[in-house]
């Protein structure tokens, strides 16, 4: 198992020969927070409360497990970020309460009184913990606001709605077996090995990552499907134009191909229909297909298809 | 597929209150018989209607529906239907089912297991009230709907409704009309006749609404007559007597023809009427009489059942009144019967609309295309 070493104001995660800096609490240039640097010394006295708090955090952990190690690494990474800039910092803890949360709850307001620790858990922690607010999950899902928290601490690989709750350039920390984590998460994360099998992931939610993520959310998948459907519909004017210019023999085969595409898109539309705002779009789409088939069978007109195309386009854009 | 022909099989619903799990002779001429017949006649299918033997004879089969086959089940059970599917699977390229009955679930499951490449057409032909009672959120029922390649309603209102309620695309396949009898619509001489056709006096048809509305406006509409075509329910006869007792002046102007079995004679009734009126309190999809009325250039007045918009092409060739509202129907009659131009233009629109939307040849061609796309025969 990895170790956390402390030397000369630096906390380092030691994994065999490899050391990774977790937090530097003494270099003056590193500390751009509202807290004075002199508070970070090795003197564990009452006049240097922050040092005490940071170091005391480690003492709260009685048993070394991958989970408690992950807690400590997370804690130190948050400290490093707090030192970076004097901005307001909101942290969300999801899942079981950790002994380190008490330290975190004490630490956060010292950097900025507006800093907050939120907890999303079924149980309220024991003991006196300041600056903690509780929000709750509903059923098996998480009802979290998007782009809200600077840091989220999550007990396992987070679902998209939790990742979405992290602010731009914020971080999410979770413990997982690396081989089980999707590549797109790994690519966005710094990985701190805890044991041979388990690691702590520190994932930065950049706008690019958010874009990737959006594709994986129900809304993102919906948008993607809707966009593909709209693209199919948008072809109508061009299809009709070409249809009118083709020799008779080639007209039917040409339209068959497009109607088949429309029929495929209709099935996708039926799938996502409950999530769409319009309650007429499915019917209007079917009517477009109906009029195209009529045209193909010699019973319809391009004008009728065009009219329906306009109705449907408006409906799809709602 | 046999000898390059696709096999289409329509299996009757088991335990059906109308036909006891089989087909009756009249039904052969309706959409459940017309669709397989025209798949056979126009698109080269081998078409078979399957059910118990309900009628002693099926004269329409020989008379009008040459080539359509009837196969009889030994008993009216789901198992008998499953056995039939098993023994005809190789030939059953298309399974057609009428009504969206949950009883079909085991049939569809068996068909899918023996013919994963086969096609299923589910013609719901139902009204919204009935559709509302179906277990559309039940996973087995949902799976049944998703197993069907084409799910269709027979009127726009039902199609719109089911499109929202069901998780599958819902097509419009209307109950159209096929000119078996070589009816010539060019020689129509229209008279001031308001026509209705159906089981006269049945609770569903609400024929008393038409009689009472006509009684209110008859004095304002000299020369106008009402003709009620169809067998009269016994329970309705006392009402008719009372009606004439109260309005003896209408005896000459209101005629009950009784059942007209001969289709050509029936079509003559449509052809000479200027107005077709349907007063039903509900209809199961599009009533079959609608297409006959529209082809005959009738201006259509109907109560506000689901298919009312289809019957009138959204008021382009007719008017709709609220179900059961005698005064509203009377007002419409007073207005339209005195507007010769409205009736003439509306009638012409009705005929053109019928040719475009209710021609069974076109309807079946579209169904065939929906099922087979560019490979449709």
């Amino acid at each position: 198992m990895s170790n956390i070493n402390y030397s000369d104001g630096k906390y380092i995660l030691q994994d065999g020969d490899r050391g990774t800096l977790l937090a530097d609490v003494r270099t003056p240039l590193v500390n751009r927070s509202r807290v004075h640097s002199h508070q970070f010394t090795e003197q564990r006295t009452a006049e240097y409360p922050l040092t005490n708090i940071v170091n005391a955090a480690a003492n709260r952990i009685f048993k070394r497990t991958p989970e408690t190690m992950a807690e400590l690494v997370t804690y130190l990474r948050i400290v490093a970020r707090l030192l970076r800039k004097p901005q307001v910092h909101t942290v969300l803890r999801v899942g079981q309460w950790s002994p380190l949360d008490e330290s975190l709850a004490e630490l956060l307001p010292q950097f900025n009184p507006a800093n907050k620790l939120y907890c999303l858990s079924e149980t309220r922690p024991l003991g006196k913990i300041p600056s903690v607010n509780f929000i709750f999950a509903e059923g098996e899902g998480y009802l979290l606001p998007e782009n809200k928290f600077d840091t989220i601490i999550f007990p396992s690989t987070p679902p998209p709605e939790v990742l979405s709750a992290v602010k731009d350039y914020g971080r999410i920390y979770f413990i997982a077996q690396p081989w089980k984590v999707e590549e797109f998460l790994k690519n966005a994360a710094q990985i701190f090995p805890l044991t041979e099998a388990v690691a702590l992931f520190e994932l930065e939610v950049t706008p690019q990552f958010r874009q990737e993520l959006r594709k994986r959310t129900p809304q993102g998948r919906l948008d993607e499907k809707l966009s593909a459907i709209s693209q199919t519909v948008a072809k109508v004017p061009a299809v009709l134009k070409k249809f009118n210019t083709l020799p008779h023999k080639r007209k039917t085969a040409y339209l068959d191909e497009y109607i088949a595409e429309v029929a495929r898109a209709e099935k996708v539309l039926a799938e996502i229909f409950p999530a769409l705002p319009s309650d007429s779009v499915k019917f209007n789409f079917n009517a477009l297909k109906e009029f195209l088939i009529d045209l193909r069978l010699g019973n319809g007109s391009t004008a009728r298809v065009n009219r329906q195309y306009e109705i449907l386009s408006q409906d799809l854009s709602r | 597929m046999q000898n390059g022909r696709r096999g289409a099989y329509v299996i009757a619903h088991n335990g059906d209150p109308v036909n006891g799990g089989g087909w009756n002779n009249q039904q052969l001429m309706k959409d459940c018989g017309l669709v397989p017949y025209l798949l056979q006649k126009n698109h080269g299918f081998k078409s078979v209607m399957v059910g118990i033997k309900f009628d002693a004879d099926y004269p329409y089969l020989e008379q009008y529906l040459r080539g359509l086959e009837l196969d009889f089940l030994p008993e009216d059970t789901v198992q008998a239907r499953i056995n039939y599917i098993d023994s005809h699977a190789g030939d059953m390229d298309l399974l057609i089912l009428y009504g969206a009955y949950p009883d079909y679930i085991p049939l569809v499951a068996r068909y899918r297991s023996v013919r994963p490449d086969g096609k299923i057409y589910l013609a719901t032909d139902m009204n919204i009230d009935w559709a509302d009672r179906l277990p559309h959120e039940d996973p087995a029922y949902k799976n049944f709907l998703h197993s069907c390649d084409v799910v269709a309603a027979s009127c726009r209102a039902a199609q719109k409704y089911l499109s929202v309620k069901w998780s599958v695309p819902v097509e419009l396949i209307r109950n159209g009309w096929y000119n078996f009898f070589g009816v010539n619509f060019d020689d129509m001489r229209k008279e001031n006749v308001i026509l209705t056709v159906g089981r006269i006096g049945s609770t569903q048809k609400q024929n008393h609404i038409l009689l009472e509305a006509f009684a209110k406006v008859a004095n304002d509409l000299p020369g106008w007559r009402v003709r009620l075509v169809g067998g009269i329910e016994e329970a309705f006869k006392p009402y008719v007597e009372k009606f004439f007792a109260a309005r003896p002046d209408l005896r000459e102007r209101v005629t009950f023809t009784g059942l007209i079995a001969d289709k050509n004679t029936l079509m003559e009734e449509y052809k000479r009427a200027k107005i077709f009126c349907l007063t039903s309190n509900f209809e199961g999809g599009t009533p079959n009489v609608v297409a006959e009325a529209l082809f005959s250039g009738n201006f259509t007045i109907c109560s506000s059942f689901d298919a009312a918009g289809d019957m009138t092409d959204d008021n382009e060739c007719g008017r709709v009144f609220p179900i059961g509202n005698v005064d509203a129907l009377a007002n419409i009659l007073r207005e339209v019967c005195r507007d010769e131009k409205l009736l003439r233009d509306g009638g012409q629109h009705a005929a053109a609309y019928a040719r475009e939307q209710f021609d069974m040849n076109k309807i079946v061609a579209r169904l065939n295309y929906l099922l087979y796309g560019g490979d449709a025969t």
Side-chain angles (χ1 to χ4, degrees):
Chain A
M1 187 183 289
S2 304
N3 277 319
I4 296 172
N5 296 330
Y6 175 72
S7 167
D8 197 23
K10 294 184 176 68
Y11 293 89
I12 292 169
L13 180 71
Q14 205 65 44
D15 175 30
D17 294 339
R18 192 169 149 236
T20 310
L21 178 68
L22 298 176
D24 177 350
V25 299
R26 273 194 60 188
T27 307
L29 280 174
V30 171
N31 179 15
R32 288 163 293 187
S33 72
R34 288 163 39 151
V35 178
H36 300 302
S37 285
H38 68 80
Q39 289 180 261
F40 299 96
T41 76
E42 276 106 89
Q43 294 179 51
R44 301 181 180 189
T45 61
E47 61 211 87
Y48 304 112
L50 216 49
T51 317
N52 289 350
I53 292 167
V54 173
N55 286 324
N59 297 332
R60 291 178 190 270
I61 293 170
F62 302 112
K63 192 179 171 190
R64 259 182 9 125
T65 65
E67 286 76 20
T68 55
M69 279 289 286
E71 287 294 328
L72 200 52
V73 173
T74 301
Y75 181 80
L76 288 164
R77 295 296 292 164
I78 292 171
V79 169
R81 290 196 66 219
L82 291 169
L83 289 167
R84 221 184 103 243
K85 208 174 170 186
Q87 70 191 59
V88 175
H89 202 97
T90 54
V91 179
L92 172 69
R93 145 84 62 193
V94 180
Q96 203 182 349
W97 194 249
S98 154
L100 282 184
D101 289 335
E102 202 168 334
S103 293
L104 204 53
E106 282 171 17
L107 182 70
L108 282 168
Q110 300 201 43
F111 280 87
N112 190 321
N115 286 351
K116 278 207 168 64
L117 171 64
Y118 294 88
C119 179
L120 198 160
S121 171
E122 285 178 6
T123 54
R124 186 175 272 272
L126 296 171
K128 189 182 166 194
I129 297 173
S131 305
V132 171
N133 295 275
F134 286 84
I135 52 179
F136 292 94
E138 188 175 87
E140 289 177 1
Y142 294 95
L143 297 172
L144 293 174
E146 268 197 42
N147 213 339
K148 167 75 180 169
F149 301 100
D150 297 281
T151 297
I152 292 181
I153 308 165
F154 198 78
S156 58
T157 306
E161 71 267 27
V162 173
L163 287 161
S164 300
V166 181
K167 269 187 192 168
D168 279 347
Y169 301 105
R171 306 283 198 279
I172 184 160
Y173 297 90
F174 61 94
I175 186 168
Q177 293 173 286
W179 62 274
K180 284 187 179 173
V181 177
E182 281 185 81
E183 280 304 308
F184 93 103
L185 292 178
K186 275 188 205 167
N187 294 340
Q190 183 169 357
I191 302 169
F192 300 98
L194 302 171
T195 66
E196 274 182 21
V198 178
L200 176 79
F201 287 72
E202 179 191 66
L203 192 151
E204 184 181 18
V205 177
T206 60
Q208 292 82 358
F209 175 79
R210 201 180 290 285
Q211 259 184 351
E212 271 301 301
L213 178 66
R214 193 164 170 77
K215 289 182 195 164
R216 289 162 167 85
T217 60
Q219 185 61 44
R221 282 194 289 268
L222 186 83
D223 290 347
E224 208 172 346
K225 285 175 180 173
L226 195 57
S227 158
I229 291 165
S230 300
Q231 280 171 33
T232 295
V233 173
K235 290 179 188 171
V236 166
V239 166
L240 292 182
K241 196 174 170 190
K242 189 165 177 189
F243 176 78
N244 285 331
T245 58
L246 283 171
H248 183 71
K249 279 186 181 171
R250 287 177 56 203
K251 273 182 197 281
T252 55
Y254 177 69
L255 215 48
D256 283 344
E257 206 175 298
Y258 182 59
I259 293 169
E261 182 185 335
V262 167
R264 285 193 296 275
E266 187 184 27
K267 283 186 181 155
V268 178
L269 180 66
E271 223 176 86
I272 64 171
F273 176 68
L276 300 178
S278 164
D279 56 6
S280 55
V281 68
K282 194 169 150 216
F283 164 78
N284 280 328
F285 196 98
N286 185 270
L288 176 73
K289 187 181 75 177
E290 179 188 324
F291 299 161
L292 280 164
I293 292 173
D294 283 348
L295 183 67
R296 158 67 176 80
L297 297 174
N299 304 325
S301 69
T302 51
R304 200 160 164 236
V305 174
N306 253 327
R307 269 199 307 276
Q308 191 57 28
Y309 158 71
E310 278 163 21
I311 293 169
L312 177 61
S313 299
Q314 274 190 358
D315 214 350
L316 277 169
S317 65
R318 280 171 66 184
Chain B
M1 197 180 283
Q2 270 187 357
N3 306 323
R5 296 175 78 195
R6 288 184 171 127
Y9 286 72
V10 193
I11 300 185
H13 173 234
N14 54 293
D16 196 286
V18 177
N19 54 26
W23 304 106
N24 63 42
N25 189 48
Q26 294 287 333
Q27 281 179 304
L28 303 190
M29 300 287 276
K30 296 185 176 177
D31 51 314
C32 39
L34 271 177
V35 167
Y37 171 69
L38 290 176
L39 282 173
Q40 179 252 148
K41 183 174 180 285
N42 295 347
H43 303 283
F45 282 64
K46 172 197 173 183
S47 291
V48 186
M49 296 184 79
V50 184
I52 63 150
K53 194 167 194 294
F54 183 76
D55 279 349
D57 296 306
Y58 291 88
Y60 284 163
L61 205 59
E62 275 303 302
Q63 214 174 335
Y64 299 115
L65 302 157
R66 288 266 169 85
L68 179 65
E69 296 174 30
L70 269 179
D71 239 359
F72 299 118
L73 295 168
E75 57 182 22
D76 184 29
T77 59
V78 171
Q79 191 55 50
R81 284 162 173 79
I82 288 174
N83 293 345
Y84 188 91
I85 288 171
D86 285 346
S87 58
H88 292 79
D91 191 29
M92 201 179 287
D93 303 296
L94 169 62
L95 172 63
I96 302 176
L97 300 167
Y98 277 88
Y101 299 106
D103 296 355
Y104 286 148
I105 291 171
L107 264 61
V108 163
R110 179 58 68 97
Y111 179 72
R112 273 281 164 251
S113 71
V114 293
R115 282 301 302 266
D117 61 325
K119 302 274 185 185
I120 302 174
Y121 165 46
L122 179 68
T124 63
D125 194 22
M126 61 185 168
N127 61 45
I128 287 168
D129 187 48
W130 201 79
D132 186 45
R133 293 179 219 170
L134 291 169
H136 65 276
E137 279 304 313
D138 178 74
Y141 194 78
K142 260 189 170 177
N143 189 43
F144 155 62
L145 291 176
H146 280 269
S147 296
C148 299
D149 296 277
V150 173
V151 176
S154 64
C155 69
R156 282 272 185 233
Q159 186 199 15
K160 282 181 182 173
Y161 177 81
L162 293 177
S163 284
V164 179
K165 202 148 177 126
W166 286 1
S167 54
V168 293
V170 180
E171 314 292 341
L172 176 70
I173 301 290
R174 288 192 168 102
N175 298 339
W177 187 73
Y178 179 71
N179 196 350
F180 280 111
F181 328 106
V183 177
N184 179 7
F185 292 105
D186 296 332
D187 64 347
M188 291 193 285
R189 287 194 189 86
K190 292 292 186 188
E191 298 173 20
N192 288 344
V193 168
I194 301 162
L195 174 73
T196 192
V197 177
R199 283 179 293 117
I200 303 300
S202 67
T203 311
Q204 179 195 352
K205 297 296 176 188
Q206 299 277 296
N207 300 103
H208 67 282
I209 301 286
L210 173 59
L211 293 177
E212 287 166 27
F214 186 65
K216 281 179 182 260
V217 298
N219 292 343
D220 299 335
L221 304 174
W224 277 89
R225 290 172 291 137
V226 171
R227 289 179 71 80
L228 299 101
V229 176
I232 306 174
E233 299 281 312
E234 278 303 316
F236 192 58
K237 287 179 179 170
Y239 173 86
V240 174
E241 280 170 24
K242 274 189 194 167
F243 176 78
F244 284 134
R247 290 297 301 266
D249 59 309
L250 296 182
R251 271 188 196 278
E252 296 300 312
R253 295 174 63 186
V254 175
T255 307
F256 291 86
T257 67
L259 179 70
I260 298 178
D262 180 72
K263 296 285 181 187
N264 273 309
T265 312
L266 177 63
M267 289 311 294
E268 287 304 315
E269 291 284 344
Y270 283 109
K271 281 167 66 178
R272 68 171 162 165
K274 283 184 182 169
I275 294 174
F276 181 79
C277 184
L278 203 56
T279 49
S280 309
N281 54 5
F282 71 93
E283 286 289 348
T286 314
N288 291 88
V289 290
V290 170
E292 291 165 350
L294 290 170
F295 269 99
S296 306
N298 295 164
F299 188 90
T300 304
I301 302 171
C302 64
S303 51
S304 54
F305 52 81
D306 298 349
D310 294 53
M311 280 189 69
T312 60
D313 194 16
D314 294 324
N315 285 335
E316 291 290 330
C317 55
R319 293 285 182 273
V320 181
F321 67 94
I323 289 171
N325 192 328
V326 173
D327 288 336
L329 175 57
N331 289 337
I332 289 171
L333 288 175
R334 193 181 282 114
E335 176 214 335
V336 304
C337 290
R338 293 197 280 201
D339 190 338
E340 193 57 40
K341 185 176 183 306
L342 177 73
L343 290 179
R344 191 179 55 248
D345 292 351
Q348 283 170 359
H349 183 97
Y353 172 56
R355 286 193 295 273
E356 188 185 296
Q357 295 293 320
F358 288 85
D359 179 343
M360 210 59 193
N361 286 309
K362 291 179 181 175
I363 290 169
V364 172
R366 177 139 53 80
L367 171 64
N368 188 32
Y369 190 92
L370 282 166
L371 288 161
Y372 297 102
D375 295 330
T377 45

